[in-house]
Amino acid sequence: MTLPATAPRDPLTLEVVQLIGAVVGRYHEEYERAASAHALTGAQARVLSLLSLGPLPMRRLARTLKCEPSNVTGIIDRLETRGLVERRADPDDRRVKLAAATHEGLRLARGLRDGLDFAREPLADLSREERLVLRGLLRRMLGEDVATAQDGSGTVRED
């Protein structure tokens, strides 16, 4: 994302950007550690996490991960060998292959999610109101409509 020429470049903005980068870096470090504890790469853990929300077409996985479809094929191959995912024909278009987490894959995805304390612990120090404000600001930064932002299941959340 390219910043417009009029974007503020004052010390406060630069510090906020640096802090966001530090949070993202720490999150990725912990995510890699959690994945490693389950003998997964970070990419495999991300795919498993996405599939825990429901089956997805291989091409959509590639777009979401911002990688080539052939990379996703290799990741799915390795996860399938471990019994964590399976390939299915899309019931709406049999030419499309869906990747879906197995019961074991869902169990492992839950374990990964439950093992990520970095984000939970600092957020626990914030009040519910502060977390709502932070969520709204982050959604606004990402260009999402705060009033009608959806969760992964398509349900509108306005809490």
Side-chain angles (χ1 to χ4, degrees):
M1 181 166 112
T2 306
L3 292 175
T6 59
R9 297 180 194 281
D10 60 279
L12 175 60
T13 299
L14 295 174
E15 182 182 2
V16 169
V17 168
Q18 185 177 27
L19 290 168
I20 290 170
V23 168
V24 169
R26 286 177 62 188
Y27 174 81
H28 282 293
E29 287 172 12
E30 181 165 321
Y31 199 84
E32 292 290 331
R33 273 195 301 278
S36 177
H38 294 280
L40 296 171
T41 66
Q44 290 170 339
R46 283 187 290 282
V47 166
L48 200 54
S49 177
L50 288 169
L51 295 179
S52 72
L53 302 174
L56 289 171
M58 303 280 280
R59 289 197 180 277
R60 185 175 315 158
L61 275 171
R63 276 195 312 271
T64 301
L65 295 170
K66 296 175 178 45
C67 68
E68 293 296 318
S70 61
N71 291 346
V72 170
T73 299
I75 292 169
I76 295 297
D77 287 345
R78 288 184 287 284
L79 292 172
E80 192 173 37
T81 298
R82 289 186 56 187
L84 301 174
V85 301
E86 62 187 12
R87 288 177 170 91
R88 302 177 183 162
D90 186 330
D92 297 327
D93 184 347
R94 308 233 4 120
R95 298 169 296 173
V96 175
K97 285 290 186 191
L98 298 176
T102 62
H103 290 295
E104 180 62 19
L106 291 172
R107 186 194 65 73
L108 186 57
R110 261 191 315 277
L112 274 167
R113 193 173 37 250
D114 292 346
L116 294 174
D117 293 327
F118 166 68
R120 251 191 317 272
E121 288 175 5
L123 288 173
D125 291 339
L126 301 178
S127 70
R128 183 179 193 314
E129 292 75 25
E130 289 171 323
R131 291 191 313 272
L132 287 169
V133 168
L134 178 59
R135 182 184 70 183
L137 291 170
L138 292 170
R139 284 180 176 169
R140 191 165 133 205
M141 287 176 65
L142 294 171
E144 295 181 11
D145 181 0
V146 175
T148 60
Q150 296 182 344
D151 67 19
S153 67
T155 305
V156 175
R157 294 185 334 223
E158 296 184 35
D159 51 359

